[in-house]
Amino acid sequence: MIENAALFRIAGAMSAYAGSRQSVIAENIANADRPGYHAKGVTPFETTMERGLALKTTGAGHLKAGGTAATFDTGAAVALEQQMVEAVDAQRNHEKALAIYRHGLTVLRTALGRA
Amino acid sequence: MADFTQALGISASGMTAQTARIGRLSENIANADTPGYHRKLVSFDAEVQRGQQTGRIKVGRTSLDQSPLSQIYDPSHPLADETGHYNGSNVDLLVEIADAREAQRSYEANLKMFEQIKQMSSGLLDLLRR
């Protein structure tokens, strides 16, 4: 059961990460025609997760496994095509996370005899 | 979920800004033959709330293009001076059309993002529905 809880937590963090990454991409695309705007890049989920998992949470107020995408200034103008590719990638990641989550729920339901 | 709401707002602001841009462009095109008309230029600004950038974009001040007006030769025109010229507009249709295309592309990109974000958030809600 504990493994299951971790699975939910990671899937949740992944879908939250995909959501916040999509938000960054939306910002890049909305600001693409604004002079002087630099595209924002996001650190990969793996890095965010590793950093998040390395932290020990011993109190309710402590940082939990990373869910939001950390951004950095790429210093380059917005390339719409690249942003579109990234957006699709984020969407797929989100769907993947949801599928895992849903599967976890199904397993729990089965275990409870409510298939 | 908060991220999605914010992202939807950002994409919507992008669409609003591009719509305003198209609006100015169509004014310019409609007035291409108006004597003495200076083409309007839009500027995009980052929206700031409580000293922080929200990521949304807004249309800033509209300015007038101060480049010289075209001189049209037509001695019979009521506005013509001694040399037979009068001031036309400084609208270049080719530039306006190219700008309009760009605005359309950007609008579509924002719309695409809007749809995608909506899809993602409804996927999240579907989890609850079962």
Side-chain angles (χ1 to χ4, degrees):
Chain A
M1 265 316 157
I2 289 162
E3 289 87 1
N4 251 336
L7 185 74
F8 281 126
R9 197 161 57 93
I10 294 172
M14 191 170 163
S15 91
Y17 172 86
S20 87
R21 185 176 170 205
Q22 194 79 328
S23 169
V24 173
I25 299 167
E27 190 177 331
N28 282 340
I29 289 179
N31 286 278
D33 293 338
R34 186 157 71 77
Y37 179 80
H38 292 173
K40 284 182 185 166
V42 287
T43 47
F45 179 64
E46 290 79 9
T47 320
T48 314
M49 247 340 249
E50 273 164 23
R51 214 176 288 152
L53 286 179
L55 294 170
K56 282 221 166 76
T57 54
T58 50
H62 289 180
L63 284 172
K64 296 192 179 61
T68 47
T71 60
F72 59 90
D73 190 336
T74 61
V78 180
L80 277 187
E81 300 84 356
Q82 195 203 337
Q83 295 297 324
M84 288 318 232
V85 170
E86 284 198 30
V88 171
D89 191 46
Q91 191 187 16
R92 289 176 65 96
N93 269 335
H94 188 257
E95 273 167 22
K96 207 191 291 174
L98 290 192
I100 293 169
Y101 203 96
R102 204 175 294 124
H103 183 72
L105 282 182
T106 315
V107 170
L108 279 184
R109 275 204 193 92
T110 314
L112 292 169
R114 288 187 215 158
Chain B
M1 267 332 249
D3 261 332
F4 288 134
T5 317
Q6 195 196 351
L8 284 174
I10 291 172
S11 288
S13 79
M15 285 190 272
T16 314
Q18 298 298 343
T19 309
R21 181 179 175 192
I22 282 274
R24 296 289 166 281
L25 290 173
S26 49
E27 274 177 45
N28 287 344
I29 291 172
N31 284 287
D33 294 328
T34 307
Y37 180 84
H38 288 267
R39 68 189 275 258
K40 288 178 179 165
L41 301 168
V42 282
S43 63
F44 289 153
D45 290 331
E47 193 186 83
V48 178
Q49 264 175 16
R50 292 188 213 101
Q52 280 211 321
Q53 290 198 357
T54 57
R56 284 198 283 266
I57 188 166
K58 66 178 170 75
V59 178
R61 290 166 64 97
T62 303
S63 55
L64 294 178
D65 186 352
Q66 294 303 329
S67 61
L69 298 170
S70 60
Q71 296 296 315
I72 298 162
Y73 180 70
D74 183 4
S76 65
H77 197 278
L79 291 172
D81 58 12
E82 314 80 64
T83 60
H85 290 84
Y86 71 93
N87 284 338
S89 74
N90 60 1
V91 177
D92 183 346
L93 283 181
L94 204 65
V95 172
E96 303 299 325
I97 296 287
D99 214 1
R101 279 278 163 82
E102 196 189 56
Q104 191 188 2
R105 293 279 176 276
S106 297
Y107 185 93
E108 279 167 8
N110 278 299
L111 187 62
K112 195 91 200 141
M113 279 308 290
F114 192 89
E115 280 168 4
Q116 223 176 69
I117 296 160
K118 211 178 71 178
Q119 227 175 3
M120 278 166 77
S121 62
S122 60
L124 207 55
L125 288 176
D126 277 344
L127 273 186
L128 294 175
R129 211 163 285 157
R130 247 187 59 152

